[in-house]
CSV table of all heavy atoms in Angstrom, one decimal:
chain,number,residue,atom,x,y,z
A,374,GLU,N,-37.2,111.8,15.6
A,374,GLU,CA,-37.7,110.4,15.6
A,374,GLU,C,-38.7,110.2,16.7
A,374,GLU,O,-38.4,110.4,17.9
A,374,GLU,CB,-36.5,109.4,15.8
A,374,GLU,CG,-35.9,109.0,14.5
A,374,GLU,CD,-34.7,108.2,14.7
A,374,GLU,OE1,-34.6,107.5,15.8
A,374,GLU,OE2,-33.8,108.2,13.9
A,375,GLN,N,-39.9,109.9,16.3
A,375,GLN,CA,-40.9,109.7,17.3
A,375,GLN,C,-41.2,108.2,17.6
A,375,GLN,O,-42.2,107.8,18.1
A,375,GLN,CB,-42.2,110.4,16.8
A,375,GLN,CG,-42.3,111.9,17.0
A,375,GLN,CD,-42.0,112.3,18.4
A,375,GLN,OE1,-42.5,111.7,19.4
A,375,GLN,NE2,-41.1,113.3,18.6
A,376,LEU,N,-40.1,107.4,17.3
A,376,LEU,CA,-40.3,106.0,17.5
A,376,LEU,C,-39.8,105.7,18.9
A,376,LEU,O,-38.9,106.3,19.5
A,376,LEU,CB,-39.4,105.2,16.5
A,376,LEU,CG,-40.1,105.1,15.1
A,376,LEU,CD1,-39.0,104.8,14.1
A,376,LEU,CD2,-41.2,104.1,15.2
A,377,PRO,N,-40.4,104.7,19.6
A,377,PRO,CA,-41.5,103.9,19.1
A,377,PRO,C,-42.8,104.6,19.0
A,377,PRO,O,-43.1,105.5,19.8
A,377,PRO,CB,-41.6,102.8,20.2
A,377,PRO,CG,-41.0,103.4,21.4
A,377,PRO,CD,-40.0,104.4,21.0
A,378,GLY,N,-43.6,104.2,18.0
A,378,GLY,CA,-44.8,104.8,17.8
A,378,GLY,C,-45.8,104.5,18.9
A,378,GLY,O,-45.7,103.5,19.5
A,379,GLN,N,-46.8,105.4,19.0
A,379,GLN,CA,-47.8,105.2,20.1
A,379,GLN,C,-48.5,103.9,19.9
A,379,GLN,O,-48.7,103.1,20.9
A,379,GLN,CB,-48.8,106.4,20.0
A,379,GLN,CG,-49.8,106.4,21.2
A,379,GLN,CD,-49.2,106.9,22.5
A,379,GLN,OE1,-48.4,107.9,22.4
A,379,GLN,NE2,-49.5,106.3,23.6
A,380,ALA,N,-49.0,103.6,18.7
A,380,ALA,CA,-49.8,102.4,18.5
A,380,ALA,C,-48.9,101.2,18.7
A,380,ALA,O,-49.4,100.2,19.3
A,380,ALA,CB,-50.3,102.4,17.1
A,381,ASP,N,-47.7,101.2,18.2
A,381,ASP,CA,-46.8,100.1,18.4
A,381,ASP,C,-46.6,99.8,19.9
A,381,ASP,O,-46.6,98.6,20.3
A,381,ASP,CB,-45.4,100.4,17.8
A,381,ASP,CG,-45.4,100.4,16.3
A,381,ASP,OD1,-46.5,100.2,15.7
A,381,ASP,OD2,-44.4,100.7,15.7
A,382,ALA,N,-46.4,100.9,20.6
A,382,ALA,CA,-46.2,100.7,22.1
A,382,ALA,C,-47.4,100.1,22.7
A,382,ALA,O,-47.3,99.2,23.6
A,382,ALA,CB,-45.9,102.1,22.7
A,385,LEU,N,-47.4,96.5,22.0
A,385,LEU,CA,-46.3,95.8,22.8
A,385,LEU,C,-46.8,95.6,24.2
A,385,LEU,O,-46.6,94.5,24.8
A,385,LEU,CB,-45.1,96.6,22.7
A,385,LEU,CG,-43.8,95.9,23.1
A,385,LEU,CD1,-43.5,94.8,22.0
A,385,LEU,CD2,-42.7,96.8,23.4
A,443,TYR,N,-38.5,93.6,19.2
A,443,TYR,CA,-39.1,94.9,18.9
A,443,TYR,C,-38.2,96.0,19.5
A,443,TYR,O,-37.8,97.0,18.8
A,443,TYR,CB,-40.5,95.0,19.4
A,443,TYR,CG,-41.1,96.4,19.3
A,443,TYR,CD1,-41.5,96.9,18.0
A,443,TYR,CD2,-41.1,97.3,20.3
A,443,TYR,CE1,-42.0,98.2,17.9
A,443,TYR,CE2,-41.5,98.6,20.2
A,443,TYR,CZ,-42.0,99.0,18.9
A,443,TYR,OH,-42.5,100.3,18.8
A,444,LEU,N,-37.8,95.8,20.7
A,444,LEU,CA,-37.0,96.8,21.4
A,444,LEU,C,-35.7,96.9,20.7
A,444,LEU,O,-35.1,98.0,20.6
A,444,LEU,CB,-36.9,96.5,22.9
A,444,LEU,CG,-38.2,96.6,23.7
A,444,LEU,CD1,-38.0,96.0,25.1
A,444,LEU,CD2,-38.6,98.0,23.8
A,447,LEU,N,-35.5,98.9,17.4
A,447,LEU,CA,-35.8,100.4,17.3
A,447,LEU,C,-34.6,101.1,16.7
A,447,LEU,O,-33.5,100.6,16.9
A,447,LEU,CB,-36.1,100.9,18.8
A,447,LEU,CG,-37.4,100.4,19.4
A,447,LEU,CD1,-37.4,100.9,20.8
A,447,LEU,CD2,-38.6,100.9,18.6
A,448,PRO,N,-34.8,102.1,16.0
A,448,PRO,CA,-33.7,102.9,15.4
A,448,PRO,C,-32.7,103.3,16.4
A,448,PRO,O,-31.5,103.4,16.2
A,448,PRO,CB,-34.3,104.0,14.7
A,448,PRO,CG,-35.8,103.7,14.6
A,448,PRO,CD,-36.1,102.8,15.7
A,449,GLN,N,-33.2,103.6,17.6
A,449,GLN,CA,-32.2,103.9,18.7
A,449,GLN,C,-32.8,103.3,20.0
A,449,GLN,O,-34.0,103.0,20.1
A,449,GLN,CB,-32.0,105.4,18.8
A,449,GLN,CG,-33.2,106.2,19.3
A,449,GLN,CD,-32.7,107.6,19.7
A,449,GLN,OE1,-31.6,107.7,20.2
A,449,GLN,NE2,-33.6,108.6,19.6
A,450,PRO,N,-31.9,103.1,20.9
A,450,PRO,CA,-32.4,102.3,22.1
A,450,PRO,C,-33.5,103.0,22.8
A,450,PRO,O,-33.7,104.3,22.7
A,450,PRO,CB,-31.2,102.3,23.0
A,450,PRO,CG,-30.0,102.7,22.2
A,450,PRO,CD,-30.5,103.4,21.0
A,451,LEU,N,-34.3,102.3,23.6
A,451,LEU,CA,-35.4,102.8,24.3
A,451,LEU,C,-35.0,104.0,25.2
A,451,LEU,O,-35.7,104.9,25.4
A,451,LEU,CB,-36.1,101.7,25.1
A,451,LEU,CG,-37.5,102.1,25.7
A,451,LEU,CD1,-38.5,102.2,24.6
A,451,LEU,CD2,-37.9,101.0,26.7
A,489,PRO,N,-38.5,110.8,25.4
A,489,PRO,CA,-39.9,111.0,24.9
A,489,PRO,C,-40.9,110.3,25.7
A,489,PRO,O,-40.6,109.3,26.4
A,489,PRO,CB,-39.7,110.3,23.5
A,489,PRO,CG,-38.3,110.3,23.2
A,489,PRO,CD,-37.6,110.3,24.5
A,490,ALA,N,-42.1,110.8,25.7
A,490,ALA,CA,-43.2,110.3,26.5
A,490,ALA,C,-43.4,108.8,26.3
A,490,ALA,O,-43.6,108.0,27.2
A,490,ALA,CB,-44.5,111.1,26.3
A,491,VAL,N,-43.4,108.4,25.0
A,491,VAL,CA,-43.7,107.0,24.7
A,491,VAL,C,-42.7,106.1,25.3
A,491,VAL,O,-43.0,105.0,25.9
A,491,VAL,CB,-43.8,106.8,23.2
A,491,VAL,CG1,-44.2,105.4,22.8
A,491,VAL,CG2,-44.8,107.8,22.6
A,492,ASN,N,-41.4,106.5,25.2
A,492,ASN,CA,-40.3,105.8,25.7
A,492,ASN,C,-40.5,105.6,27.2
A,492,ASN,O,-40.3,104.5,27.8
A,492,ASN,CB,-39.0,106.4,25.4
A,492,ASN,CG,-38.7,106.4,24.0
A,492,ASN,OD1,-39.6,106.5,23.1
A,492,ASN,ND2,-37.4,106.3,23.6
A,493,ARG,N,-40.8,106.7,27.9
A,493,ARG,CA,-41.0,106.6,29.3
A,493,ARG,C,-42.1,105.6,29.7
A,493,ARG,O,-42.0,104.8,30.6
A,493,ARG,CB,-41.3,108.0,29.9
A,493,ARG,CG,-40.3,109.0,29.6
A,493,ARG,CD,-40.6,110.3,30.4
A,493,ARG,NE,-40.2,110.2,31.8
A,493,ARG,CZ,-40.9,110.6,32.8
A,493,ARG,NH1,-42.1,111.1,32.6
A,493,ARG,NH2,-40.5,110.5,34.0
A,495,LEU,N,-43.3,103.1,28.0
A,495,LEU,CA,-42.9,101.7,27.7
A,495,LEU,C,-41.9,101.3,28.8
A,495,LEU,O,-42.0,100.1,29.2
A,495,LEU,CB,-42.2,101.7,26.3
A,495,LEU,CG,-43.0,101.0,25.2
A,495,LEU,CD1,-42.2,101.0,23.9
A,495,LEU,CD2,-43.5,99.6,25.6
Side-chain angles (χ1 to χ4, degrees):
Chain A
E374 270 173 27
Q375 281 306 316
L376 281 161
Q379 185 78 40
D381 291 357
L385 198 70
Y443 172 78
L444 293 168
L447 290 175
Q449 66 165 334
L451 192 68
V491 183
N492 292 33
R493 299 188 80 226
L495 254 182

